[in-house]
Amino acid sequence: MSRRLAAARPLLAILALLGAYPASAEPRTSPAEECALCHGLDGIARSADVPHLAAQNELYMYNQMLAFRSGKRPHKEMRYMARSISLAEAQALSAYYASLPR
Ligand code: HEC
């Protein structure tokens, strides 16, 4: 990463919180693909110890992700995942899973 980009990082982080800019300028797997490893791209989990997210309530899921981030709802993997995405991404993912059929 260039020096100038590095210097712009704190600003980018703030913009990301406002939902105006992606959290990282570097290419990476999309959050939806990372979540899909456990929750399925269709929101149907393949593993018995992972909840289905398809057709779940949007605001409920968003609130759960905030709770995972803060540690209020303790869970190792979800805490890590919830911390690796921006609030705008959490919102978009909640809307995405809520829109899927069960
Ligand atoms: C390593 C597997 C794994 C990955 C990757 C993962 N999750 Fe989860 N997720 C879980 C498990 C397991 C739970 C249940 C947590 C518990 O028991 O409290 C969960 C719970 C949740 C819940 C709460 C569901 C409910 O019914 O309360 C939401 C919302 C959620 N995950 C969203 C996501 C999103 C969005 C991503 C991607 C950014 C993601 N998860 C990535 C395993 C994963």
Side-chain angles (χ1 to χ4, degrees):
M1 185 197 310
S2 77
R3 245 172 201 211
R4 183 183 264 178
L5 243 186
R9 260 201 114 90
L11 176 64
L12 290 179
I14 291 166
L15 286 173
L17 286 180
L18 297 172
Y21 205 86
S24 168
E26 288 135 45
R28 61 169 205 190
T29 342
S30 80
E33 284 174 274
E34 289 171 32
C35 313
L37 293 176
C38 292
H39 293 286
L41 252 192
D42 55 0
I44 305 297
R46 269 45 178 187
S47 170
D49 60 353
V50 179
H52 302 311
L53 298 182
Q56 182 53 277
N57 291 332
E58 181 175 341
L59 186 58
Y60 168 78
M61 284 190 279
Y62 181 71
N63 287 336
Q64 294 315 300
M65 283 190 255
L66 294 192
F68 286 127
R69 269 170 91 105
S70 70
K72 193 171 149 202
R73 178 170 171 180
H75 193 267
K76 208 167 142 242
E77 280 98 354
M78 277 310 304
R79 180 169 208 197
Y80 174 81
M81 288 310 299
R83 288 187 158 195
S84 71
I85 57 174
S86 69
L87 293 180
E89 284 171 330
Q91 212 164 29
L93 286 161
S94 301
Y96 168 69
Y97 283 118
S99 75
L100 297 173
R102 197 33 124 24

